[in-house]
Amino acid sequence: MSDEGTSTLSLAEEIERLEGRVRESARDLASLRRRAQRGAQSEWATIREEWDGLDGRLRTAGLALGVVLFLGAYLFYMNLGWYADQRVLPRSSDWLLDQLPSWNLIPLLSWGWLALHAWAAVTAALYEPRRMPFLLFLLSLYLCVRTLYVFLSPIGAPAAILDMRELDSLFSYVAGEYTFQNEFIFSGHTAVPFLFFLFFERARHKAVMLAGSFAMAGAVLVTRNHYTVDVLSAYLVGYAIYSLARVSFTAVNPQLRGAVTSASPTLR
């Protein structure tokens, strides 16, 4: 066979191999598309199941009570937070802060924190509608406990703090009205994602919030927006708040016991 014929045959074989790969890739893509569609359908089925299982009047009453408690707790926080900001408190540092580098991760603490909790709120509403009264009760209790810590704390900002009021447009807008400067022990940036981690029961939701809590813990330390003890206390006090909320929520209204834990048989 001539060189030209051999070359033509080799080219034809190569084209055939490529066509086989294309067909195989097309089959793989079709399989992935079907799996994605089944996954989406399964997610929507889970969400529909959660919403279909709602007891209208009881859940509405619980949700309304939770909203009232949360608003009351936030007003309590705003008033004592304003008082805390009127004090001139001594600045300090600690051993770990002295060892860590100083990095400007302020956008993570503002916009990142906002995005994380917007995701958490939407996820809770979609996947845990029956447990929303408990979530509001949990966050209300957290606000009350943390407000007392802020009110009674005698220590001011870390000495090398990267001030979010000066370095971030979002925080500068809400500072002094909806959040305050002299609120350190314990770290809300760390504690709130951790509370959502404890609240969620599906593994992937828990993983997102735990990772978010760790990220916030690291960010508040390298920006010197909290002391090390603030971060440690966020986990210890946060767990205590969650445990207290579980006990007291059902003690106040045993009919809402099902709102504390999910009734879903499978949690992914």
Side-chain angles (χ1 to χ4, degrees), residues 13 19 22 48 82 124 136 154 156 184 186 191 193 219 232-233 251 261 267:
E13 291 174 347
E19 288 175 342
V22 169
R48 283 198 304 270
W82 179 86
L136 289 169
F184 296 101
F186 47 94
L232 294 176
S233 298
T261 57
L267 302 175

Side-chain angles (χ1 to χ4, degrees), residues 74 77-79 81-82 85 171-180:
Y74 200 81
Y77 159 75
M78 288 179 65
N79 280 278
W82 179 86
D85 267 11
F171 196 83
S172 63
Y173 178 75
V174 300
E177 295 291 338
Y178 304 103
T179 186
F180 303 94

